Amino acid sequence: MLRHYRMFAAYNRWANAQVYAAAAELSDLEFRSDRGAFFGSLHRTLNHLLVADRIWMKRFTGTGEAPMSLDAVLFEEFDALAVARKAEDERIIGWTGTLDETSLAANFTYSPVSQPIAITQPLWTALSHLFNHQTHHRGQCHMTLTALGKPSLGLDLIYFLRSEGREWM
């Protein structure tokens, strides 16, 4: 399982870089245009992904900032958002590198932002959610880009494994 999660952390960084490279080509109007994704625009969806990652990483590590709202806009400007995304991706990679099988199997307790109750589950299940959540919303980013008439992105895990992710094969 450790290798699996470390691969997903590397894939996450790679896929985010693909989305951010495409977003960098947009005008500010396009970047902020509501195209029907859950959070509306690419601007708000990318902010949500960073918000959620910070919330989960605060839960996992006990350090860092954890916004109190899932729709918080942490960065209005794309460049600052891109810098923060890169830093968070490196943080996720670094943290997954510290895990062992015992910590993955151990119970983990947290309170969701949406309801003040304690939830206990094995850490590996919460970590699986973190990466699945990223993939889910990156799909919405992809949809937003194509709705803006931009080229489709190849974000499949297999594309990562055949390029920068060959070490995981």
Side-chain angles (χ1 to χ4, degrees):
M1 292 300 289
L2 286 173
R3 185 165 168 76
H4 177 82
Y5 290 118
R6 290 173 183 156
M7 176 194 67
F8 271 117
Y11 164 71
N12 184 61
R13 175 180 58 193
W14 175 85
N16 284 335
Q18 307 308 306
V19 170
Y20 273 79
E25 300 296 319
L26 299 176
S27 70
D28 191 60
L29 182 62
E30 289 172 320
F31 182 59
R32 295 172 192 280
S33 173
D34 187 333
R35 295 298 172 161
F38 189 85
F39 289 92
S41 66
L42 196 55
H43 170 249
R44 293 188 62 82
T45 303
L46 292 176
N47 266 282
H48 168 71
L49 280 168
L50 183 60
V51 163
D53 283 356
R54 285 184 172 182
I55 290 169
W56 280 106
M57 289 301 290
K58 171 78 176 198
R59 291 171 181 162
F60 293 150
T61 68
T63 62
E65 298 175 27
M68 297 305 296
S69 173
L70 295 174
D71 63 352
V73 173
L74 300 176
F75 296 94
E76 283 294 338
E77 300 305 319
F78 174 78
D79 291 342
L81 181 60
V83 167
R85 174 75 267 162
K86 286 179 185 176
E88 199 66 26
D89 288 343
E90 293 305 321
R91 181 178 181 214
I92 293 167
I93 288 169
W95 177 70
T96 58
T98 70
L99 297 174
D100 58 28
E101 293 292 346
T102 302
S103 60
L104 278 179
N107 278 341
F108 165 71
T109 301
Y110 66 96
S111 294
V113 171
S114 57
Q115 10 172 271
I117 61 171
I119 295 179
T120 300
Q121 64 190 80
L123 178 62
W124 73 266
T125 62
L127 189 52
S128 293
H129 168 75
L130 173 82
F131 293 124
N132 188 62
H133 180 262
Q134 278 278 346
T135 299
H136 166 70
H137 284 294
R138 271 194 304 266
Q140 293 177 348
C141 293
H142 179 273
M143 178 277 306
T144 301
L145 288 163
T146 57
L148 289 165
K150 305 305 176 188
S152 183
L153 300 175
L155 297 175
D156 289 344
L157 176 63
I158 200 69
Y159 296 142
F160 165 70
L161 294 172
R162 292 176 186 163
S163 62
E164 292 179 27
R166 290 180 186 192
E167 70 183 277
W168 304 105
M169 299 275 274

